[in-house]
Amino acid sequence: MASRLLLCSLTIGSMSSIGANIRRLFGPLEPAVSELYRRCFVDLDEFGRVIKSWVPDAGRILEVGCGEGSMTERLVHHYPNATILSIDISPRLGRLYKGPRDQVTFQRRAVQDVVAETPNHFDMVVLADVLHHVQPEIRPEFFRSLEAGLQPGGHLIFKDWERSISLQHAACFFIERYIT
């Protein structure tokens, strides 16, 4: 059952290497290009400020779907005294993270495995642009796992992009699914 809840971005198979190959072409400019691309769609700095305004203090944070570490950097900035566990099913997790390492742990794990080991542990769980990767039929179970990881009074914070019928959405979906 646990494998059913894995984020579906890895089910693409051989297509998943296209993004890695394209991004490698940028060499040392990859972090800047990635940030520029992301800013076309979302301002993670602003999202970090909004999270901090909603949850002024958090000691233990679980970031689900951390990717290469962009949101993790913002969380560390806003919660410098927190312990942050950043998880993803991608083998490239945390690869572009440039912040301090003493308070952050990157692990390639599914959320239900983390929660099974540490139920009711986290003050805050954060998902940034993850939910659209979770198949709609398993979202209720996915959210139950997230809730099980929160301590009483904990906070679940998530943002995702809204699907629309537009050329921009189609391009974003293609890039998100097959390149990044």
Side-chain angles (χ1 to χ4, degrees):
M1 181 58 97
S3 63
R4 247 186 93 222
L5 289 179
L6 291 177
L7 303 179
C8 63
S9 61
L10 285 186
T11 61
I12 295 164
S14 63
M15 291 296 287
S16 64
S17 63
I18 292 173
N21 290 331
I22 290 173
R23 293 176 68 173
R24 260 194 298 273
L25 293 174
F26 291 110
L29 296 176
E30 181 185 356
V33 171
S34 295
E35 190 64 29
L36 180 63
Y37 163 76
R38 186 175 296 103
R39 285 199 177 271
C40 292
F41 308 103
V42 63
D43 184 345
L44 291 181
D45 293 323
E46 178 62 20
F47 184 50
R49 286 188 292 274
V50 168
I51 292 172
K52 181 68 174 179
S53 73
W54 290 342
V55 183
D57 188 39
R60 292 183 305 263
I61 299 171
L62 173 63
E63 180 189 10
V64 178
C66 66
E68 294 186 343
S70 296
M71 191 66 219
T72 310
E73 285 186 28
R74 277 61 175 203
L75 291 171
V76 167
H77 172 75
H78 290 290
Y79 299 95
N81 298 317
T83 300
I84 301 172
L85 174 57
S86 294
I87 63 171
D88 204 313
I89 59 169
S90 166
R92 298 165 46 95
L93 72 154
R95 191 179 66 85
L96 297 179
Y97 175 78
K98 300 287 189 240
R101 295 277 178 169
D102 58 330
Q103 73 189 79
V104 177
T105 303
F106 289 98
Q107 293 181 358
R108 187 176 182 196
R109 299 179 68 192
V111 66
Q112 58 275 31
D113 296 335
V114 171
V115 168
E117 289 178 15
T118 55
N120 304 314
H121 180 73
F122 298 97
D123 302 311
M124 182 168 63
V125 174
V126 177
L127 291 89
D129 297 320
V130 172
L131 194 57
H132 64 274
H133 292 287
V134 179
Q135 298 166 353
E137 62 272 11
I138 63 173
R139 287 181 186 167
E141 190 173 344
F142 179 74
F143 275 106
R144 282 191 293 277
S145 293
L146 297 174
E147 183 180 21
L150 287 169
Q151 66 178 356
H155 302 274
L156 171 60
I157 306 288
F158 73 94
K159 69 166 260 347
D160 215 304
W161 46 303
E162 183 178 350
R163 293 180 185 251
S164 64
I165 300 174
S166 68
L167 183 56
Q168 181 183 11
H169 175 78
C172 290
F173 181 81
F174 178 81
I175 291 168
E176 175 82 6
R177 183 64 70 167
Y178 297 107
I179 295 180
T180 64

